[in-house]
Amino acid sequence: MPDLEHKDYHILPFQFARTPQGDMLLVNEGGDFQFFPRETFENFVRHRLEPTDPAFFALKSHLFLAQDELEVSLQKLAARYRTRKSFLRDFTTLHMMVITLRCNQRCAYCQASSAEEDARCFDMPASVARRVVEMIFQAPTSHPKIEFQGGEPLLNWPVLETAVLYAEQCAHESGKAVDFVICTNLLAITEAQLAFCREHHIALSTSLDGPASLHDACRKTRGGSGTHALFLEKLDQARAFLGPDAVDALMTTSAFSLHHLQEVIDEYLLRGMKGICIRSLNPYGFAAEQAAALGYDAADFAACYLEALDAILAVNRRVYFPEHFAALLFSRILTPFATGFVDLQSPAGAGISGVIYDYDGSVFPTDEARMLARMGDRHFCLGNVLRDSYSALFASSRLKALTTRACVETTPPCAWCVYQSYCGADPIRNYLETGDELRTMAGTPFCVKHKLLFDGLFERLRQADEQTQDIIWSWITHNPLVAQGHEDA
Ligand code: SF4
Ligand code: SF4
């Protein structure tokens, strides 16, 4: 007997999950999402949904089902999928150079395991820097971004200058554009260095962990004193040279600040920061050694982060002040565009979207892989710029194998997770925790954190009033005007 209730439509590929509220969240391969009551979902998957049902139209227009136009719908879905993965066409954009491993600070959580300020043999020689720059301009991307890291990159300033000038020459000769960022704690910056940054359009990225009581808990000089006061002095100096918006800051959440994120937000506003990025601790370097004192549970981080996000959304009713990680995840959820965030993508950005060159010319697919090498395990080293050609490094079977094992689409349980389209893989962390680049992600700190964050973001999206929606879109579009006109009474 034919099923008389059977409705004639095609179900397109999607993932689904029951929400904490009891209804169903559906996300298709293009990253489009829909919420439905469980009964509607059951009717849909059992081919019992009436074409006159409003849910039918929603599912059809968002490419969860197709009628006669199956081929066209699949092509549209494929086009959206390609757009989401368009970062793959830009191989490799982010190039990080460890100009020196020496540092004038000794932060409790330093993931780079920085060396003493006067240590020897930890500076990148100019010859290596030039070779790295040549390697960077062999990458197919038309617009590489060079990020100078450390240690404290200002401590090897002559080589940094050499790298900038040589990169500008290579950019000119190849017809490419190039951007520069220096990741610096700012403490040692001079007026001459700031003038060079201004002349060569070099952006500065620094760290501010909160008010003095929180910042100084982890960010100390080698002698053990707090750095907050000198940091603020140097921040003012840098802004005077480069403009008020030229210095971006990140914060790293430690056990000291986890339950004090409101104080961190207040400090960012007080110091005129134009946004904030609340980052969790990564288990590398000194942070791994100090895990008992500095670490915390992934679920605790997610809860504190979401509470802080609510506070930041409330601030945005008065002033544009994005939380950059939420902005990125909202962008993935609400738009089909690639975000270019190498730390959370599939395939992982390791080596294909970002790459790091150590001070001695060793090449690693991520900063974390380099940190692992500092901890004594060179498993991820791709080679050395002094010895290996571009293709030996970037078309190697080593990198191909790593990329193959770094896709959420083939990792359990990510392969059927409703958040698959927005999440990413971290083969370095997997290897650190299990000795294998590919593992089941169920119950891992990485998965617990991201699942709870996605749960929280979707909940906020569902509850968002018109003003909150505008705020979220102002973050996605980097346009404060989108949220204007909603001043609190
Ligand atoms: S975190 Fe940065 S500033 Fe602090 S010790 Fe490490 S390299 Fe230096
Ligand atoms: S890591 Fe967790 S949240 Fe992310 S896709 Fe995998 S299962 Fe989903």
Side-chain angles (χ1 to χ4, degrees), residues 92-96 342 345 349-356 364-366 394:
T92 306
T93 307
L94 176 63
H95 297 262
M96 295 165 276
V342 301
Q345 68 184 40
I352 61 173
S353 295
V355 62
I356 186 154
F364 294 95
T366 69
F394 293 96

Side-chain angles (χ1 to χ4, degrees), residues 104-392:
N104 48 357
Q105 287 192 193
R106 211 288 189 188
C107 302
Y109 52 56
C110 179
Q111 293 152 20
S113 307
S114 63
E116 293 292 332
E117 185 171 359
D118 57 359
R120 296 166 67 88
C121 307
F122 288 114
D123 286 358
M124 180 179 279
S127 56
V128 173
R130 289 176 70 86
R131 184 73 193 118
V132 169
V133 169
E134 286 161 7
M135 201 62 86
I136 291 170
F137 280 90
Q138 287 183 57
T141 180
S142 60
H143 197 154
K145 177 178 182 179
I146 301 180
E147 203 173 272
F148 297 105
Q149 294 206 357
E152 171 50 59
L154 300 183
L155 299 187
N156 192 13
W157 182 257
V159 172
L160 192 153
E161 270 188 339
T162 300
V164 168
L165 296 174
Y166 191 42
E168 286 176 340
Q169 182 190 326
C170 292
H172 179 71
E173 288 169 3
S174 61
K176 294 185 176 186
V178 60
D179 286 336
F180 302 107
V181 180
I182 301 177
C183 300
T184 168
N185 60 38
L186 287 181
L187 295 202
I189 203 151
T190 64
E191 292 198 350
Q193 291 168 346
L194 285 167
F196 183 84
C197 291
R198 185 172 55 198
E199 189 184 340
H200 296 273
H201 309 289
I202 302 172
L204 299 182
S205 174
T206 190
S207 295
L208 173 61
D209 281 0
S213 58
L214 298 177
H215 186 87
D216 290 347
C218 290
R219 300 191 66 80
K220 297 179 192 295
T221 63
R222 292 261 152 199
S225 353
T227 55
H228 189 258
L230 181 55
F231 169 82
L232 291 184
E233 204 180 292
K234 292 292 184 174
L235 179 64
D236 284 347
Q237 192 184 13
R239 283 172 166 167
F241 261 82
L242 304 176
D245 301 339
V247 187
D248 259 345
L250 297 168
M251 68 85 56
T252 302
T253 310
S254 69
F256 299 115
S257 53
L258 182 64
H259 295 288
H260 298 277
L261 293 178
Q262 182 63 58
E263 290 170 49
V264 179
I265 296 164
D266 292 343
E267 175 74 358
Y268 267 65
L269 289 165
L270 180 68
R271 303 302 171 193
M273 294 296 178
K274 302 299 180 209
I276 190 168
C277 185
I278 299 175
R279 292 190 305 178
S280 57
L281 206 59
N282 266 332
Y284 301 91
F286 300 157
E289 291 169 19
Q290 301 281 322
L294 301 175
Y296 40 77
D297 191 67
D300 284 348
F301 173 80
C304 292
Y305 173 91
L306 290 168
E307 194 181 318
L309 180 61
D310 287 337
I312 294 167
L313 286 167
V315 165
N316 277 265
R317 290 175 181 251
R318 289 180 282 111
V319 55
Y320 178 71
F321 183 72
E323 201 290 312
H324 297 301
F325 190 56
L328 179 121
L329 297 182
F330 278 134
S331 177
R332 289 197 178 177
I333 292 168
L334 294 170
T335 82
F337 305 114
T339 51
F341 180 63
V342 301
D343 290 353
L344 195 70
Q345 68 184 40
S346 175
I352 61 173
S353 295
V355 62
I356 186 154
Y357 308 89
D358 212 352
Y359 66 94
D360 63 355
S362 299
V363 183
F364 294 95
T366 69
D367 202 14
E368 288 74 17
R370 189 256 309 198
M371 292 165 186
L372 201 61
R374 276 289 282 161
M375 294 160 74
D377 188 339
R378 295 180 68 81
H379 175 79
F380 289 103
C381 184
L382 298 174
N384 191 295
V385 295
L386 298 177
R387 196 179 58 230
D388 300 305
S389 66
Y390 179 84
S391 58

Side-chain angles (χ1 to χ4, degrees), residues 408 413-414 417 419-420 423 441 446-447 451:
V408 288
C414 310
C417 173
Y419 298 133
Q420 184 205 100
C423 202
M441 295 305 292
F446 180 95
C447 180
K451 200 165 254 185

